[in-house]
């Protein structure tokens, strides 16, 4: 896959599937056993912060032993090898792209390893699993802390969002890997790229709403397809 111009990669939970991280909506996915509306919303957290934290702490424990797979590694290599501008936009909150060495990276739905105080706003990076107390409290003010992720109905971080849409408007090639393409506003990115003349390639074992729009949709698993597609 040769592209001299700007490249943007958009990833979802499917990129981490081969690291043993359950996806959200697929078979065996997280949403099968939990309803997003019951847990990944400010209302759910307001009603029962301990229940929401039990779910996130359970996910953090599952992620603690997860390692980047060949898909993460291939994307980190692409960033280093690509002469033109490059940006990796991930919806994943698991931190595996950074662990693989990706640096030109925006985590548009935040990070499961960040916790943020609901009282003073202090953010900290907390890798301890299980968490010492549920729900965790702020070391600075004792306030209730929340997971540093974006919940349904919450705005995405403005800086990350502007970087993602700015790069989508300017890119020559967009690679969309392992996302069901149903969560907005990130699901708009491939349309924005295409409207600005970019070539859009999808990698997913299943069809998605993006499939009919993509210039090419490769049916396959990311850890299998990306190393050969990217030549690494
Ligand atoms: C916003 C939390 C506005 C973090 C997540 C009604 C009320 C309120 C909002 C809405 C509404 N209707 C619509 C909306 C907008 C809403 C939305 O899009 N809803 C959808 C479901 C209809 N969006 C929002 O609420 C966003 N915010 O709009 O705010 C606003 C503006 C200004 C001011 C105030 C408000 C917030 C969106 C973020 C929500 N947070 N999670 C967490 O707990 O992790 S969403 C959740 O889905 C994850 O974050 C994940 O990132 C995201 C996307 O899922 P995917 O990554 O695509 O994963 P999925 O399992 O779905 O798919 C996996 C894919 O991989 C599959 O296609 C599978 O085939 C493939 N695959 C499997 N194995 C492999 C593979 N691919 C490759 N290789 C493999 N081996
Ligand atoms: Zn605080």
């Amino acid at each position: 896959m040769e592209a001299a111009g700007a490249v943007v990669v958009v990833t979802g939970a499917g990129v981490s599937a081969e690291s043993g991280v359950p996806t959200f909506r697929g078979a065996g996915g997280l949403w099968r056993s939990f309803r997003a509306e019951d847990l990944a919303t400010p209302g759910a957290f307001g009603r029962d912060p301990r229940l929401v934290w039990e779910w996130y702490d359970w996910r953090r424990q599952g992620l603690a032993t997860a390692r980047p797979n060949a898909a993460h590694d291939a994307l980190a290599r692409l960033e280093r090898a690509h002469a033109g501008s490059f940006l990796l936009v991930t919806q994943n909150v698991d931190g595996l792209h950074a662990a693989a060495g990706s640096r030109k990276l925006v985590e548009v739905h935040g990070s499961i390893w960040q916790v943020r105080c609901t009282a003073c706003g202090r953010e900290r990076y907390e890798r301890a699993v299980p968490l010492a107390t549920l729900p965790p409290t702020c070391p600075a003010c004792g306030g209730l802390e929340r997971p540093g992720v974006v919940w349904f109905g919450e705005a995405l971080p403005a800086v990350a969002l502007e970087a993602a849409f700015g790069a989508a408007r300017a890119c020559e090639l967009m690679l969309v890997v392992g996302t069901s393409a149903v969560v907005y506003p990130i699901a708009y990115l491939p349309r924005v790229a295409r409207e600005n003349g970019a070539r859009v390639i999808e990698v997913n074992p299943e069809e998605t709403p993006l499939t009919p729009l993509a210039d090419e949709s490769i049916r396959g698993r990311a850890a299998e397809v990306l190393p050969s597609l990217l030549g690494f």
Side-chain angles (χ1 to χ4, degrees):
M1 185 190 81
E2 275 310 308
V7 170
V8 172
V9 182
V10 178
T11 63
V15 159
S16 297
E18 283 147 299
S19 295
V21 180
T23 60
F24 289 90
R25 296 170 182 82
L30 285 168
W31 293 152
R32 286 272 171 277
S33 34
F34 297 93
R35 282 166 34 81
E37 302 71 30
D38 299 344
L39 291 162
T41 66
F45 186 72
R47 279 189 302 278
D48 191 341
R50 185 181 175 81
L51 171 72
V52 172
W53 264 115
E54 281 170 357
W55 185 52
Y56 278 94
D57 198 38
W58 172 73
R59 285 175 59 192
R60 288 161 56 101
Q61 292 180 47
L63 283 168
T65 53
R67 292 288 169 267
N69 63 57
H72 297 107
D73 294 339
L75 291 173
R77 285 199 193 98
L78 175 65
E79 171 186 321
R80 288 193 291 272
H82 186 61
S85 78
F86 178 92
L87 186 66
L88 171 52
V89 179
T90 190
Q91 300 172 90
N92 298 343
V93 298
D94 57 31
L96 290 176
H97 283 302
S102 290
R103 292 295 171 265
K104 295 177 181 172
L105 168 70
V106 279
E107 295 176 319
V108 289
H109 289 166
S111 168
I112 202 166
W113 304 113
Q114 287 284 350
V115 291
R116 185 169 68 245
C117 178
T118 57
C120 74
R122 186 174 183 273
E123 283 202 340
R124 64 191 174 102
Y125 194 67
E126 174 55 80
R127 292 281 319 204
V129 288
L131 284 164
T133 56
L134 284 185
T137 49
C138 176
C141 77
L144 171 65
E145 289 180 310
R146 58 164 284 174
V149 298
V150 179
W151 281 324
F152 286 103
E154 289 189 317
L156 276 62
V159 172
L161 203 56
E162 188 33 53
F165 277 85
R169 281 191 289 269
C171 73
E172 184 186 284
L173 175 71
M174 177 175 280
L175 188 56
V176 184
V177 189
T179 180
S180 57
V182 297
V183 174
Y184 288 84
I186 294 306
Y188 283 127
L189 286 178
R191 293 169 202 277
V192 166
R194 260 184 83 68
E195 279 159 15
N196 288 276
R199 182 170 160 71
V200 173
I201 300 176
E202 177 184 41
V203 176
N204 197 315
E206 295 171 15
E207 292 202 356
T208 72
L210 172 60
T211 304
L213 294 172
D215 294 278
E216 196 180 345
S217 188
I218 301 169
R219 230 19 92 253
R221 294 180 301 110
E224 207 171 84
V225 168
L226 288 189
S228 52
L229 178 70
L230 303 180
F232 295 117

